[in-house]
Amino acid sequence: MSLIRAIVHALSITGSMTWEITWALILGFGLSAIVQALVRRSTIVRLLGDDRPRTLARAAGFGAASSSCSYAAVALARSLFRKGASFTAAMAFEIASTNLVIELGVILALLMGWQFTLAEFTGGPIMIVLIAVLFRLTLRERLVREARVNADRGIAGLMEGHAAMDMSVQRPGSLASRLFSRDGYTAVAHVFVMEWAAILRDLIIGLIAAGAIAAWVPDRFWRVFFIASHPLAAKVWGPLIGPFVAILSFVCSIGNIPLAVVLWKGGISFGGVIAFIFADLIIAPILNIYRKYYGARMALFLLGTFYAAMAAAGYVVELVFGGLGLIPDPARAKIPDQGVSWDYTSWLNIVFLILAAALIVRFVRTGGVAMLRMMGGSPDNHEHMDTHVSHTH
């Protein structure tokens, strides 16, 4: 009976956390879908041919307007690289795609507080700058050529079909006329559902893992592990160990935010939890995809440089936010475990679930089911996929 009670307790926390964030997820993905529906993939490729600061700023902007699924972001970065984007710009795009997106900011604000959203959107550009500097100092042209040869082999990773689809509105006209057209409604519905399909597995795993860890792992374990009783040591240790915990968690995209809540409550430093969130691009499955895409040497190079940049960005965030008095009190952190109650969250969930249902119906009625079947397709089938998406009404 004690085992059953433990499982029920873990699932109740998972359910409470899911109910707490449902409306915010739908809102975030809805806003993201609108942005993605208006940004054409061909425009992105054309503007990312070098690693100048202006180009990297564009890459970050385009990344923030693209898929938040880590696997799709990694696949799309490889696609951009193959089509002529510089390697540095492709990696800047990839970082922004998973760390500067609307839905991530909304969920962080809801579960952890606005300070974490601000820290994420502050640390993301810092990490891109650090990566650009590290690449300029240490990345050799020979390694880039080797990576391009490997990339051109077209070995599949995950979410290749999703990354290859350009679901933006192709018709001419102003942003408003494109968005409020029938094509605009269809494009938003397609992006919305496909984004959910891309991150759903990781989100479910993250929520279940967060519920299990919150229910079964005592806080004192985390406080010892993160050296929470020694504030200075914790601030030094947090950004170093945060990415390592992420690598072992196997959870990426939005799915690592519920785990971040548990770690923050457990005693990891502010900079440490930010570094943990950044590190969804170096979890073990994605490191293996880098090996397939670019070769083992480049995969190791990305692990080393990304890890260093993530930890360094965590330190910068810790220092800046600590100096400004913007770090919230971890003692006030609370993991949702009260279940479903009729409050503003319930009403918001009902409203946004109706909105999501309308988009799903539009998705199904305009050929969306066939798109779902192509999510894991070959990266070299992108022309067929683009045509399918662009002419489905």
Side-chain angles (χ1 to χ4, degrees):
M1 290 298 294
S2 59
L3 175 61
I4 294 177
R5 281 197 299 270
I7 294 174
V8 170
H9 184 204
L11 291 176
S12 69
I13 293 175
T14 295
S16 297
M17 193 175 292
T18 303
W19 187 249
E20 186 76 16
I21 66 175
T22 295
W23 71 268
L25 279 172
I26 295 172
L27 171 62
F29 279 106
L31 293 174
S32 177
I34 291 172
V35 173
Q36 290 187 58
L38 297 175
V39 179
R40 296 188 179 100
R41 188 68 52 78
S42 58
T43 302
I44 298 175
V45 176
R46 188 175 69 251
L47 297 175
L48 302 185
D50 55 62
D51 59 358
R52 293 179 298 175
R54 180 182 297 181
T55 303
L56 297 183
R58 288 177 184 147
F62 287 132
S66 70
S67 171
S68 64
C69 170
S70 301
Y71 293 111
V74 170
L76 182 50
R78 195 264 296 263
S79 176
L80 295 175
F81 180 51
R82 293 180 70 188
K83 293 177 181 178
S86 77
F87 189 75
T88 303
M91 293 302 104
F93 174 93
E94 179 180 300
I95 292 168
S97 185
T98 58
N99 292 292
L100 299 178
V101 288
I102 299 170
E103 55 269 37
L104 178 64
V106 172
I107 295 304
L108 278 171
L110 182 64
L111 282 182
M112 304 185 74
W114 63 267
Q115 298 94 332
F116 286 90
T117 299
L118 182 59
E120 183 75 10
F121 282 83
T122 301
I126 291 172
M127 187 165 66
I128 290 173
V129 171
L130 292 171
I131 284 294
V133 172
L134 285 172
F135 279 18
R136 180 65 64 89
L137 294 175
T138 62
L139 181 56
R140 300 292 176 257
E141 184 60 33
R142 177 182 172 186
L143 186 56
V144 175
R145 288 197 300 268
E146 181 182 310
R148 191 175 295 278
V149 170
N150 279 285
D152 286 339
R153 293 166 61 193
I155 298 176
L158 289 174
M159 295 296 168
E160 297 285 356
H162 178 47
M165 294 179 187
D166 186 354
M167 293 174 276
S168 62
V169 182
Q170 300 299 313
R171 60 179 290 173
S174 66
L175 292 179
S177 65
R178 290 163 58 204
L179 178 61
F180 292 107
S181 64
R182 289 176 59 85
D183 286 352
Y185 183 23
T186 299
V188 170
H190 284 183
V191 175
F192 178 82
V193 176
M194 294 297 285
E195 286 295 290
W196 269 101
I199 64 97
L200 190 59
R201 183 193 66 173
D202 280 287
L203 180 61
I204 292 173
I205 292 173
L207 286 166
I208 293 175
I213 292 171
W216 302 338
V217 180
D219 283 349
R220 62 179 177 273
F221 168 81
W222 294 117
R223 295 190 66 80
V224 170
F225 184 71
F226 294 127
I227 325 178
S229 59
H230 301 278
L232 180 58
K235 291 175 183 178
V236 173
W237 178 240
L240 289 177
I241 196 62
F244 180 75
V245 175
I247 291 173
L248 298 181
S249 73
F250 280 68
V251 180
C252 62
S253 307
I254 304 295
N256 68 359
I257 303 304
L259 286 174
V261 177
V262 175
L263 298 181
W264 174 241
K265 184 176 182 294
I268 193 172
S269 68
F270 187 74
V273 78
I274 294 299
F276 168 81
I277 295 170
F278 285 155
D280 65 337
L281 287 175
I282 55 172
I283 63 170
I286 286 182
L287 289 175
N288 186 48
I289 291 174
Y290 290 147
R291 180 188 61 81
K292 292 179 179 179
Y293 282 180
Y294 308 120
R297 290 179 62 207
M298 182 59 87
L300 290 174
F301 178 83
L302 290 175
L303 171 61
T305 51
F306 275 26
Y307 201 118
M310 291 162 181
Y315 284 127
V316 172
V317 166
E318 181 79 48
L319 289 171
V320 172
F321 279 65
L324 295 175
L326 293 178
I327 298 179
D329 184 1
R332 299 176 60 183
K334 180 173 175 58
I335 297 173
D337 59 359
Q338 70 276 15
V340 177
S341 58
W342 286 105
D343 54 15
Y344 78 94
T345 298
S346 297
W347 290 110
L348 285 172
N349 281 343
I350 291 172
V351 170
F352 279 95
L353 283 169
I354 292 173
L355 173 63
L359 292 172
I360 292 171
V361 169
R362 181 67 174 180
F363 176 82
V364 172
R365 289 179 175 176
T366 53
V369 176
M371 292 168 60
L372 284 174
R373 297 192 185 104
M374 294 191 291
M375 283 189 70
S378 166
D380 293 318
N381 289 338
H382 64 277
E383 291 182 0
H384 168 73
M385 294 181 186
D386 288 353
T387 301
H388 173 88
V389 174
S390 301
H391 293 83
T392 301
H393 300 289

